[in-house]
Every structure is written in C-alpha cells, then in structure tokens.
Amino acid sequence: MFDSSFDVIVVGAGHAGCEAAAAAANLGSKTLLVTMNLQNVAQMSCNPAMGGIAKGQIVREIDALGGYSGIVSDRSAIQYKMLNQSKGPAMWSPRVQSDRSLFTLEWRSLLEKTPNLDFYQDMIVDLIVDNDQVIGVVTSLGLKIYGKTVVLTNGTFLNGLIHIGEKNFGGGRAGEKASTGLTAALQELGFTAGRMKTGTPPRVDGRSLDFSKMEEQPGDSKPSKFSFKELTKPLEKQRSCYITHTNEEVHNLLRTGFDRSPMFNGSIQSTGPRYCPSIEDKINRFSDKLQHQIFVEPEGWDTVEVYVNGFSTSLPDDIQYKALKQVRGFEQVKFFRPGYAIEYDYFPPTQLLHSLETKNTQNLFFAGQINGTTGYEEAGAQGIMAGINAHLKCQDKTPFVLGREEAYIGVLIDDLILKGTEEPYRMFTSRAEYRTLLRQDNADQRLTPKAYELGLASEERIRAVEKKEELSNALISFLKKTSYGLEEANHLLHDKEDVAVKQTDKFAKLLSRPNIKRQDLLRFQNVAAFLEEKNMDDVILEQAEIEIKYAGYIEKEKRTADKLKRLENIKIPRAFDYDRLASLSHEAKEKLNKIQPTTLAQASRISGINPSDISVLLVSMGR
C-alpha cells in the first residue's frame, strides 16, 4: 500500500490537518492524511462554534483561499450572529453555533470527495530524516511511509495529560489516548519543546435545565453565512443560546476545592490561555467580581447535550457538580461529563519560517496547536497555509506568504514567527494594525485572486469576485454623481433626528453621515430603481456603504501599508552575521540571530528590536 511515495503527508486530522490535506490535494499533490481515529476528523474538541471576534474574519479568509472551514460551518450551523455591529465594520465578526456531530460528518464528506487524498489510521511516532531533510514518517505499527514533505498538526495530543482534580491520565482529549514518541524524535533533531495547557467545561443534559430562568440569546433575524460560494445558504431556522451567571455561593463552593485543584496545588505548571481562563482562575484573579457570565450553548439540532461556556474547569468532579447546581437554571443539572484541563507539548514557533516550514529540517511543516495557538480558526488558517506551501515545496516553487496588510492570517503567522508565544495565542482585531483593510466582507476581494493564481480557486469564483467589485464600483460611482431631492432628504433627516440640509448634494455625502445607514437610501426612488435595474443585493450595498463612510480611514491605512512595504523589499542575506555590527545592541543581536528574519520589515517587528537597530542594518546594507 505504501510502496510509492506521497508528495505531502499530513499528520493529524484536526482543523489544521484537514485544511492542510484539502489544500495540498486540491492543488494536485498526492496527499496522505494520517490520524489516530478517522471517526473524529475535525472534531470540535471544545466549544461547538466557529468564528467570533477576529476569528470570523479568519474563517472568511480561509474560504476566500479555497479552504473548507466556511462551507462546513455553514452546513452545520444552528445559529448565526454578526458580532460587534454597534461598532465600525472593521470590528464586525461573524460567528455560528454549530451542530458538533454534523460538523465532523460534513468535513469527512468533503475530504472523501477530494481527489488525490488518501487516509490512514495510525499513530505517527517518528520521522525519517536524511541529511537534514524529512523524507517520511514511522507509525506505531512500524510502517514506514515516505513523502516529499510532512505537515505536523498534532493538536493537544503530544504527550497529552488530562487533569480532573487530583486525578490525571494520558489523553489527547476525553476518551482518546495521547500521542507519544514524536516529541522525543523532534527534540533529537534539535527542536525546542514546551508545555501548554487548555481546558474545557462540563457537558450537561439540557432536559435538566430550566431555561425560563435564563436570558435567551437568539440568532440574527436576517442571518448571513460564512462562505462566499453559492454552495451554502443562510439559515432558515435557528436554535437559541442562553445566558445565566455564577454567584457568591457558586464561588464559595468552588474555593472549597482549591486545595485539590491542579491549577493551585502544583500539578499543572504550564501556561493556559489568558483570554479563556478557567472558572477557578477567574474567581481567584478577579475576587472582587460577584458574578461571571455563563453561556449555555446547545450542541446540535437533535441532541439534549449542552455546552456550559464560561465554566471551564479542572476542579474535582464533585466540586464542579455542587457549584454548578447553584447557578440559576442549573438547580437540577445532570452531567454528561465533567470539565477537565489538558497539558500538551508544543514547539515555539520562532523555529519556523513564514512558510511554516521548520528552519533546521527541510520539507517539514508545523501547523495548529503544535505552534502554540488556541482555537479552531487559528489552526485552520495555519493548516491551509502549510498545505499550500508543502505543495509548492514539492514543485520547487516560491513559498506563498501573506503580509500583515493582506490578511489576518498574515498577522497570525507573522506574530508567531517573529514574536513567538509563551501562552496559547489567540487572534484579536487589536493585533491587526490594518484592520480597516482586513474586514470580513472583503476577504474574497483580498484573497481569492491569490487563490486563483495558486490554482485553489476556480474560474467561476474569480468571475464572481470581479462581478462583485464591478457592481460595487458602479454603485459607489452612482452615489457620488447622483444628487438627492431636498425634501426627501430632510424627511429622512427629520426621522433620524439629524440636522437638516439647506441645499441638495450627492447621495455619497448623505451616506457619509453617521446616522444614515444603507437601508435608508432605499427610501429614495432613484436609488431603489438603480439597485433593481442592476440587480444589486445587500452585499453590494454594504460594500458601497463601507467604502464611502470609511474612505478616509481606508486610504490612510493603505498609505501606511505602502510605506512599510518598502522595508519588505529590503532583503537580509541568508546567514547574515549580526555579531560583526558593533552598533547593534546585545539584545538585538541575540534576537536577530535566533529568528533570522528575511526582510528588514520582519526585523523591525521583532520584540526588542529598536528603530536605531534598523538604522544600523540599513547602513550596513548600503541604504
């Protein structure tokens, strides 16, 4: 079966592995996806949801590049919400509540329909390396499988250790064994490993909850979707989520278990996610807070299982149960399983190139939680990039790298490679300095042309993007050239309690007012007639609104990005000798030698590198 060599071998079938395998295979590489359990492909190990703040932008970017996360999310969604709509469009972030089982089934179905993709169930325990180049993998059964490139996407399975109170046992997640052997093999090759921790809350029986005591959280009245493709449709029906809160009694009960908590008794010493702390960590760190929100999230269409978001914990199971019973609406709660913490090995991502290929072993790529990230979306983003670059490596082609001004995916990878991470990395809009450019609505315009050049986007997709841009530009032009009627405009402004106008002006000027929304323009007959004549939907109207309202901000960010691009064009020679530059600070030499940036712009973004250090480098390169 494995007599012939593969182009790309992907190890692990989580969100990173699935995107990597799909990308490589769809580009034409002969690909093998190896995982410990084929029944758990793309398992939602923690919360049953995709997207959210900044993460929603990433899912749309994956879709724009030709990945599957957006399609699967749409097909398995039970609720859709656009978050942050009270803020500017740079902050709008789509999120779906997912049917956990359906999500896995949809991913498996898409992968099985992907040409060039084979599957095998086994644990990978070693790599086959020749002359600092990986040439294959070794399974726990002793099979040797050869490949031109290998992508490791091991998630939380590398030496995974699960903690519930004072009990601990090996595992990659509940009910699944840990992966052993690979960490030691990588360390023998010279890689540095570390330990991280994450956690998950109890799953409970929804029939035992009193939802009437909770605050209902319905989905959007007019839901949209993630994928730009016509393969998926917006939801026609949705399930609600609910909100309740902890209280002082809950906190007091939780504190009685602190002496048996692995978080506080020294059993867990690795770093957990800063922005998704356990409930015991929250009440310990924020002892002045009398309550914390609990999001009660259904696990699917046809199940009573409920995910208790906000109650992640590794406390003893008896303490979890007693405390949760004191939460409003949970008085009669029944557990399906308790929450737990899990520790696992990761490899600091400063050991990678921007292509996600490792620096000291050629043809070997890392993606997902092995790089210290947290979240399905961050994993999927790395996966698709690693899959693309593994394919390109097989073809001896230039790596595909996205800049910080091009995508949240570019920000994510740039942060990991240049800054590293000592705690599970999570994406936020605040991490992107060009977030007005990197909106969720224009991900297709930013990235689908690149996917088309790579061969991941079809002719049909690129034509759809071109049509969207054409219609959007036509509408913007119409609004900039066409005047509104004075009486009509003042009727609208009166209804909006806005200042009246004394003379007629262009629609673009009217739309640029903060109180005027795109739907308000439909009150004007000539605008409504133009939209109908050109068959323009709300997507086009939204694009025009954003481009007109935020033109100044968008143009400013473009200018800033163009200036910094000049530094991207100044390449640093490979194996540059920083030690010979006496004017460089000791810290700068240490960081530059360790990370080995390839451009001056990358060097400028490394923590600890000052503008004066960049000036020294410019002079040394004759600039």
Side-chain angles (χ1 to χ4, degrees):
M1 180 176 172
F2 299 121
D3 285 347
S4 60
S5 174
F6 290 90
D7 294 316
V8 180
I9 298 171
V10 179
V11 180
H15 300 261
C18 288
E19 288 289 4
N26 282 324
L27 285 168
S29 282
K30 183 183 177 186
T31 306
L32 176 68
L33 180 59
V34 188
T35 187
M36 290 162 57
N37 189 345
L38 282 168
Q39 305 309 311
N40 292 330
V41 166
Q43 183 69 249
M44 300 183 109
S45 305
C46 200
N47 64 319
M50 287 290 284
I53 307 301
K55 292 168 175 280
Q57 283 88 327
I58 290 176
V59 176
R60 298 213 96 190
E61 289 179 353
I62 293 171
D63 182 78
L65 285 172
Y68 289 163
S69 288
I71 296 170
V72 174
S73 296
D74 288 342
R75 288 180 175 174
S76 60
I78 63 174
Q79 186 193 88
Y80 178 93
K81 292 192 87 164
M82 182 67 78
L83 307 180
N84 276 345
Q85 288 197 81
S86 62
K87 300 179 181 178
M91 308 294 283
W92 298 349
S93 301
R95 181 185 189 270
V96 298
Q97 197 68 29
S98 302
D99 184 309
R100 186 189 297 277
S101 300
L102 189 56
F103 187 91
T104 297
L105 288 173
E106 289 289 348
W107 251 115
R108 174 90 179 242
S109 175
L110 281 172
L111 290 174
E112 289 183 355
K113 292 172 185 172
T114 303
N116 305 313
L117 180 56
D118 290 331
F119 304 87
Y120 193 66
Q121 181 170 295
D122 202 347
M123 183 194 299
I124 300 303
V125 296
D126 203 354
L127 300 174
I128 308 170
V129 178
D130 181 33
N131 196 27
D132 292 330
Q133 293 188 10
V134 70
I135 58 172
V137 297
V138 181
T139 78
S140 63
L141 295 176
L143 294 173
K144 292 184 177 180
I145 309 173
Y146 291 90
K148 295 177 184 176
T149 59
V150 173
V151 182
L152 297 183
T153 67
N154 302 83
T156 60
F157 281 76
L158 292 177
N159 292 326
L161 184 64
I162 291 174
H163 296 267
I164 302 175
E166 294 172 300
K167 307 164 191 169
N168 60 67
F169 48 91
R173 59 178 163 239
E176 295 182 65
K177 64 181 180 180
S179 172
T180 56
L182 201 50
T183 294
L186 289 166
Q187 287 175 318
E188 283 183 25
L189 292 172
F191 289 95
T192 300
R195 292 285 275 179
M196 279 189 177
K197 167 234 168 226
T198 190
T200 194
R203 309 309 198 263
V204 304
D205 188 335
R207 296 170 300 182
S208 66
L209 304 182
D210 186 348
F211 292 102
S212 67
K213 295 181 177 180
M214 306 178 198
E215 178 188 342
E216 186 175 6
Q217 295 285 298
D220 288 351
S221 57
K222 292 182 179 178
S224 184
K225 62 193 188 81
F226 268 122
S227 182
F228 293 98
K229 289 185 177 182
E230 294 299 317
L231 291 170
T232 64
K233 302 295 179 187
L235 285 168
E236 294 182 358
K237 62 174 183 174
Q238 302 184 68
R239 284 199 68 178
S240 290
C241 297
Y242 295 84
I243 288 179
T244 184
H245 297 84
T246 62
N247 52 55
E248 286 189 82
E249 180 61 24
V250 174
H251 297 182
N252 290 333
L253 278 167
L254 289 170
R255 288 188 183 97
T256 65
F258 277 13
D259 60 328
R260 292 188 285 153
S261 166
M263 289 280 297
F264 301 123
N265 65 16
S267 299
I268 294 178
Q269 295 187 346
S270 48
T271 308
R274 177 187 299 267
Y275 303 104
C276 189
S278 65
I279 187 65
E280 58 264 38
D281 198 21
K282 280 192 278 193
I283 65 172
N284 185 54
R285 286 166 52 192
F286 310 110
S287 55
D288 56 319
K289 280 206 157 197
L290 302 181
Q291 63 176 28
H292 294 281
Q293 274 189 332
I294 301 292
F295 297 90
V296 185
E297 302 175 344
E299 295 257 348
W301 289 115
D302 303 311
T303 179
V304 297
E305 189 170 356
V306 167
Y307 180 88
V308 190
N309 194 342
F311 206 85
S312 175
T313 181
S314 58
L315 284 166
D317 49 336
D318 60 313
I319 298 294
Q320 295 183 33
Y321 179 65
K322 288 175 185 174
L324 199 52
K325 278 176 72 69
Q326 301 303 314
V327 172
R328 187 173 174 81
F330 280 74
E331 291 86 356
Q332 306 301 321
V333 68
K334 293 180 180 179
F335 273 32
F336 275 12
R337 63 177 168 87
Y340 62 87
I342 180 168
E343 290 185 285
Y344 56 94
D345 293 338
Y346 86 106
F347 289 81
T350 51
Q351 299 170 96
L352 304 176
L353 302 169
H354 274 73
S355 62
L356 298 181
E357 184 180 14
T358 65
K359 291 175 181 175
N360 72 353
T361 303
Q362 290 189 54
N363 306 331
L364 178 62
F365 296 78
F366 291 174
Q369 284 176 288
I370 192 173
N371 289 337
T373 58
T374 181
Y376 311 139
E377 303 82 4
E378 290 88 344
Q382 294 168 72
I384 193 170
M385 296 300 286
I388 290 168
N389 283 316
H391 165 81
L392 292 174
K393 189 70 187 252
C394 294
Q395 308 294 316
D396 292 321
K397 292 182 178 178
T398 304
F400 177 61
V401 175
L402 290 170
R404 297 181 72 90
E405 77 288 353
E406 294 176 304
Y408 270 90
I409 296 174
V411 175
L412 166 67
I413 293 174
D414 192 65
D415 277 355
L416 292 174
I417 279 39
L418 297 181
K419 298 175 183 175
T421 185
E422 295 178 353
E423 62 185 36
Y425 178 102
R426 177 179 177 176
M427 179 54 71
F428 288 101
T429 51
S430 58
R431 296 190 191 272
E433 57 269 52
Y434 306 113
R435 55 186 172 272
T436 308
L437 302 179
L438 309 183
R439 306 184 310 273
Q440 56 83 30
D441 62 275
N442 69 358
D444 55 340
Q445 294 161 271
R446 290 185 279 117
L447 299 179
T448 299
K450 297 178 185 294
Y452 180 69
E453 287 178 21
L454 287 167
L456 265 181
S458 65
E459 190 80 23
E460 182 184 6
R461 283 205 79 176
I462 196 67
R463 297 288 88 85
V465 171
E466 289 170 353
K467 183 180 179 182
K468 178 182 175 182
E469 288 188 333
E470 180 186 324
L471 290 174
S472 178
N473 290 335
L475 180 55
I476 291 168
S477 177
F478 171 81
L479 295 173
K480 285 182 175 179
K481 292 177 181 177
T482 309
S483 298
Y484 52 77
L486 190 62
E487 188 175 341
E488 285 179 299
N490 280 328
H491 273 305
L492 171 62
L493 293 170
H494 177 268
D495 292 345
K496 293 282 185 175
E497 298 181 352
D498 206 340
V499 179
V501 290
K502 295 182 179 179
Q503 60 185 34
T504 188
D505 207 333
K506 303 296 186 271
F507 278 108
K509 188 77 175 287
L510 184 65
L511 184 58
S512 64
R513 289 193 175 205
N515 284 352
I516 305 302
K517 308 301 179 188
R518 63 183 183 274
Q519 293 86 354
D520 298 326
L521 297 184
L522 301 177
R523 291 172 57 164
F524 297 86
Q525 190 174 355
N526 48 351
V527 174
F530 183 82
L531 293 171
E532 186 176 354
E533 178 194 343
K534 300 294 184 182
N535 195 26
M536 294 177 175
D537 58 16
D538 189 61
V539 171
I540 303 302
L541 191 54
E542 180 186 76
Q543 284 281 291
E545 177 185 35
I546 292 169
E547 292 289 339
I548 288 170
K549 276 189 183 295
Y550 299 92
Y553 297 103
I554 292 169
E555 190 55 40
K556 183 180 178 182
E557 282 195 5
K558 282 180 179 176
R559 287 198 302 268
T560 305
D562 288 341
K563 285 179 184 177
L564 290 176
K565 259 188 176 178
R566 297 170 198 167
L567 288 181
E568 290 287 3
N569 294 327
I570 303 175
K571 305 293 182 184
I572 299 175
R574 196 175 178 86
F576 186 86
D577 185 9
Y578 297 102
D579 291 325
R580 68 178 175 81
L581 301 179
S583 300
L584 276 182
S585 67
H586 177 74
E587 181 182 5
K589 290 177 184 177
E590 183 182 325
K591 296 277 181 69
L592 291 165
N593 279 318
K594 178 184 177 184
I595 294 171
Q596 290 291 315
T598 58
T599 70
L600 218 56
Q602 289 179 14
S604 71
R605 293 193 293 271
I606 297 172
S607 175
I609 303 300
N610 299 314
S612 59
D613 297 318
I614 299 302
S615 298
V616 171
L617 291 174
L618 277 168
V619 170
S620 72
M621 286 183 276
R623 298 301 182 105

